[in-house]
Amino acid sequence: MSEHSERSPGRAATPTVTHDDYAPVARTEYGPVRGFLDGPVAVWRSIPYGAPVTGTGRFRPPSPPQSWDGVRDCSTFGNIAPQTMGTMVPVDSDLRMGEDCLWLNVWAPRGLLTEDGEPRPVMVWLHGGAYCLGTAAQAVYDGRKLAEIGDVVVVGVNYRIGALGFLDLSSLFHGFVPNLGLHDQIAALEWVRDNIAAFGGDPGNVTLFGESSGGGCVTALLTSPRAAGLFHRAIAQSPPATTVFGQERAAGVARRFMEILELPSSRALELSDMPIDRIVQAAGVLLDEVPLREPGRLAAAPVVDGDLLPTYPVDRFQAGRSHRVPLIIGTNKDESSLFRVFRSPIMPVTPEAVNLMLEDVAAGHPEWSAERIAEITSAYPDLAKTRGALAMSTDAAFRMPAHWVADGHAAHSPTWAYRFDHATPMLRAARVGAGHATELPYVFGNFGTLNHDPTFWLGGRKAATEVSGRMMRRWLAFATHGVPAALDGSKHWPPYRRADRATLLIDAVDRVVGNPDADLHTAWGEQAVGFS
């Protein structure tokens, strides 16, 4: 158990932001932190919520940071989690990797409380990146506009990824703990519970939201007993909710990791003090190798450990055992297109790779008949072409898992489903459309300038800005009131129910459609299908 979890909630009961030389200073339980002002919003970068994960702590759950004397400067980004840099997730070149990477960013309106004298809703963001890439320091995740427009406190969490966060090495040594990225996120949520009141935030109204693997972490934490009570609403954007593996498969990946390092498993303890560059390099080989050998699979992902994740999250959703909190969940219309453009092995986007994925899924479900596989493939008449392969890949990894989660969660808690369909003329021309992650600048309101955002080279900024405004208002209304009503004349968004599966299609003009993927539900069936 994380040492954080033994702390009592709400230690900092009142806002404590003061101004030191025109810079905001907040008092956390570990010491005061100084940020900076960005217009009407106060910003703190890289506030530690955990100690450096070095030495014996490298493959262990996080421990609290050391307290500090004086005021800690939190105006610049600290180390990002060690990773193999790639084109899929752009990271500023001035950022440095390191194992002192358990930190978070805070954006808070300058006034300590709302006009009503109440603390503000809190939105905690988990970044994506296939469980092996990315950081809370990416510019697209800047929370200033959300904080300013919505009068909320926004928190961006940096956590361990890849070999250090989502590679289960517990089969090699009993002291190594799986799901460390999830442990980090829980520690960050505990920090929010105990400290966010000092920034004017309400620890009793926390919305956890994330995209891609960050969305997958949201769906996983929605089923984790350890996360109960740490957040009160959830938003899962394009979550790969069925990309969670069993311990037997995790042990095989761990053995392969040791082979790449040219170490016998008996020397696994040497991983604790091995130079981090060597671990990152080996992880890079592994992370590329696994999806090429086994399309549809990732090397690093959450694992059913019988503790943090008692069983597969999608099974807990379908059994009605997810946390009873309101949920927004959805996907993008053309999820797989971006992986084709970047030629990324993370997703199978060719007919050959998709067929291998289907064979692998069938092998994991020996109870299935040949007719069952044929029923699924019948929904994709173009499967021999790239278009059909992209559609199958999108549905297997994102669309159907999101529906299965929504079906289960809606049985006991308010649930809203969306599909993001909007694409700029440039993205349509490039055959990306509403690809994976293209909704991110809309949610945060962070479009690039005219000369630096190629998605607007053929126009479309005005329409995109309007779509972004509606999305932000819906997300913010949900965080504040638990209902995604934009209160601006936008289309009413009815809750999702299994009987009608009402879904908001987000585009230049929003529409609500009942069960837009009815044919897919018929083909795939009601029982969740995933890897194990």
Side-chain angles (χ1 to χ4, degrees):
M1 175 176 277
S2 162
E3 294 179 47
H4 293 250
S5 59
E6 298 176 6
R7 302 180 183 280
S8 58
R11 180 169 296 186
T14 56
T16 57
V17 177
T18 58
H19 289 268
D20 175 7
D21 296 331
Y22 304 102
V25 175
R27 302 189 181 279
T28 76
E29 60 185 322
Y30 302 109
V33 290
R34 179 192 298 110
F36 62 94
L37 297 177
D38 186 0
V41 174
V43 183
W44 291 263
R45 289 175 171 170
S46 299
I47 303 172
Y49 67 84
V53 282
T54 55
T56 57
R58 180 175 278 174
F59 298 107
R60 299 282 300 167
S63 55
Q66 287 288 111
S67 297
W68 53 85
D69 297 322
V71 180
R72 183 185 182 109
D73 180 71
C74 289
S75 60
T76 59
F77 291 121
N79 292 334
I80 68 171
Q83 59 193 274
T84 305
M85 298 297 189
T87 56
M88 280 291 289
V89 178
V91 173
D92 290 346
S93 58
D94 59 342
L95 295 173
R96 295 288 174 264
M97 293 187 294
E99 291 181 273
D100 188 4
C101 61
L102 302 188
W103 48 260
L104 45 80
N105 305 318
V106 176
W107 293 266
R110 290 174 67 174
L112 295 184
L113 299 172
T114 65
E115 290 182 1
D116 299 328
E118 297 292 328
R120 292 180 169 84
V122 181
M123 299 181 74
V124 178
W125 174 253
L126 303 180
H127 71 79
Y131 299 107
C132 64
L133 298 166
T135 168
Q138 288 168 248
V140 71
Y141 305 139
D142 188 298
R144 181 183 66 82
K145 290 182 181 176
L146 276 176
E148 179 182 353
I149 293 170
D151 203 26
V152 299
V153 176
V154 179
V155 178
V157 179
N158 211 65
Y159 54 92
R160 280 174 285 184
I161 52 180
L164 302 179
F166 289 97
L167 197 60
D168 178 9
L169 304 177
S170 60
S171 59
L172 303 174
F173 175 63
H174 63 87
F176 292 165
V177 176
N179 292 319
L180 291 173
L182 296 178
H183 279 280
D184 293 347
Q185 293 161 8
I186 288 173
L189 287 166
E190 289 167 347
W191 184 96
V192 167
R193 178 194 65 196
D194 298 340
N195 293 279
I196 206 62
F199 300 79
D202 182 357
N205 183 8
V206 175
T207 296
L208 184 66
F209 70 135
E211 182 267 347
S212 192
S213 57
C217 291
V218 171
T219 53
L221 292 175
L222 274 165
T223 71
S224 173
R226 201 80 69 82
L230 291 176
F231 57 95
H232 314 93
R233 324 190 199 285
I235 304 173
Q237 300 169 207
S238 304
T242 54
T243 302
V244 177
F245 300 120
Q247 290 178 314
E248 182 178 343
R249 182 191 172 277
V253 174
R255 286 192 298 272
R256 177 58 189 150
F257 183 57
M258 295 298 283
E259 288 174 4
I260 294 170
L261 286 166
E262 298 181 344
L263 280 178
S265 296
S266 59
R267 293 170 59 186
L269 270 178
E270 294 180 24
L271 295 173
S272 294
D273 53 15
M274 181 177 288
I276 191 62
D277 289 349
R278 189 176 171 199
I279 286 181
V280 168
Q281 185 178 21
V285 173
L286 183 72
L287 297 169
D288 283 344
E289 176 185 283
V290 168
L292 284 173
R293 284 186 175 181
E294 305 171 81
R297 290 187 187 268
L298 298 175
V303 172
V304 174
D305 58 7
D307 176 27
L308 204 63
L309 297 183
T311 186
Y312 294 98
V314 72
D315 291 345
R316 283 178 74 84
F317 276 107
Q318 294 202 317
R321 301 191 65 187
S322 51
H323 298 316
R324 278 151 170 73
V325 301
L327 170 67
I328 292 175
I329 187 167
T331 58
N332 294 359
K333 184 179 181 182
D334 309 300
E335 293 279 5
S336 296
S337 62
L338 208 64
F339 299 92
R340 175 187 60 81
V341 170
F342 284 104
R343 296 193 171 122
S344 168
I346 291 173
M347 288 277 291
V349 295
T350 65
E352 295 76 19
V354 166
N355 282 326
L356 284 173
M357 177 186 72
L358 281 172
E359 291 172 9
D360 198 10
V361 170
H365 295 272
E367 72 279 8
W368 282 9
S369 64
E371 290 77 12
R372 180 81 173 84
I373 298 289
E375 194 172 6
I376 293 174
T377 56
S378 68
Y380 305 90
D382 294 328
L383 200 54
K385 301 175 182 176
T386 299
R387 181 173 58 185
L390 289 171
M392 165 71 84
S393 189
T394 287
D395 296 339
F398 300 108
R399 187 96 72 231
M400 292 311 300
H403 278 306
W404 291 321
V405 166
D407 282 348
H409 198 73
H412 60 69
S413 295
T415 301
W416 288 267
Y418 73 87
R419 193 180 76 199
F420 182 78
D421 287 9
H422 187 70
T424 66
M426 183 68 188
L427 288 180
R428 290 198 298 270
R431 295 191 301 159
V432 171
H436 190 64
T438 57
E439 90 286 5
L440 289 173
Y442 293 79
V443 169
F444 285 91
N446 292 331
F447 295 113
T449 62
L450 185 62
N451 295 329
H452 293 96
D453 192 335
T455 63
F456 294 119
W457 284 352
L458 296 180
R461 181 178 288 271
K462 183 176 183 291
T465 302
E466 292 172 356
V467 172
S468 173
R470 289 199 306 274
M471 283 192 79
M472 293 175 75
R473 288 189 289 274
R474 290 188 191 278
W475 267 225
L476 288 163
F478 180 74
T480 303
H481 305 293
V483 178
L487 305 179
D488 57 3
S490 295
K491 182 77 178 177
H492 173 60
W493 187 359
Y496 178 101
R497 296 183 179 88
R498 189 166 180 164
D500 57 17
R501 295 190 170 109
T503 302
L504 181 72
L505 306 188
I506 300 172
D507 207 334
V509 176
D510 290 348
R511 295 184 297 136
V512 173
V513 175
N515 203 359
D517 299 313
D519 291 346
L520 296 180
H521 283 283
T522 300
W524 286 86
E526 305 297 323
Q527 193 61 40
V529 177
F531 296 106
S532 59

